[in-house]
Amino acid sequence: MMFKQDNTKRQIQNELQFLSRTMFKKDLVKYQLPPDGAPYGPTDTLYEELDRLTRNGEINQAENLLFDEIDPNNTKYLELAIDFFAQLDAMEDDYLISHNFTREEIEEGLQDIASIYGLVMPL
């Protein structure tokens, strides 16, 4: 079981890097909110709502919201999605499991995001 989870975690890291490097020429994208006082756009509001849901253990609801709101014509949503799944990947397995979420779902989410943006994950 431990080997499978290590392998899944490594695969997630590879997928996060692939998306970040392919689309943004960075090793790992981190979503940035506007500076204090600057107006929020739709992705900024979505980022805060995803963060709130995730902190409250409503990970499935957060992921559903992300997919409901994503705009394949706007790469700010891709930045947000990469950051969202990177944050989930950084969470402890116990936290994810206790809130009915798995590393396999993180990996599936990343593959779905890649597909939305017309990318195919390398094997």
Side-chain angles (χ1 to χ4, degrees):
M1 179 76 164
M2 186 61 129
F3 175 75
K4 184 178 186 303
Q5 286 195 341
D6 288 345
N7 192 37
T8 302
K9 198 155 174 54
R10 195 170 19 264
Q11 184 65 25
I12 291 167
Q13 290 296 313
N14 289 340
E15 291 171 355
L16 288 165
Q17 279 189 336
F18 170 78
L19 290 172
S20 294
R21 287 177 179 163
T22 301
M23 296 299 289
F24 302 103
K25 309 295 186 240
K26 296 179 181 180
D27 283 339
L28 186 60
V29 171
K30 175 86 173 107
Y31 188 82
Q32 299 292 316
L33 287 170
D36 286 342
Y40 268 32
T43 55
D44 305 319
T45 305
L46 178 59
Y47 177 87
E48 289 199 330
E49 181 63 12
L50 295 175
D51 183 58
R52 184 191 68 75
L53 288 167
T54 302
R55 281 186 285 110
N56 289 337
E58 300 174 71
I59 302 170
N60 283 300
Q61 293 89 326
E63 184 187 42
N64 291 342
L65 178 61
L66 172 65
F67 281 104
D68 287 346
E69 298 292 323
I70 202 155
D71 177 355
N73 298 310
N74 184 338
T75 57
K76 287 295 284 181
Y77 286 91
L78 177 57
E79 277 183 55
L80 179 110
I82 292 169
D83 187 77
F84 173 74
F85 286 111
Q87 287 182 42
L88 292 183
D89 187 49
M91 293 178 175
E92 297 292 325
D93 288 333
D94 290 344
Y95 183 81
L96 293 171
I97 291 167
S98 69
H99 293 94
N100 300 313
F101 211 80
T102 65
R103 296 224 178 268
E104 288 76 16
E105 287 176 286
I106 296 171
E107 188 176 5
E108 288 170 17
L110 284 167
Q111 291 170 1
D112 291 344
I113 291 293
S115 177
I116 288 169
Y117 283 89
L119 301 170
V120 177
M121 291 286 194
L123 297 178

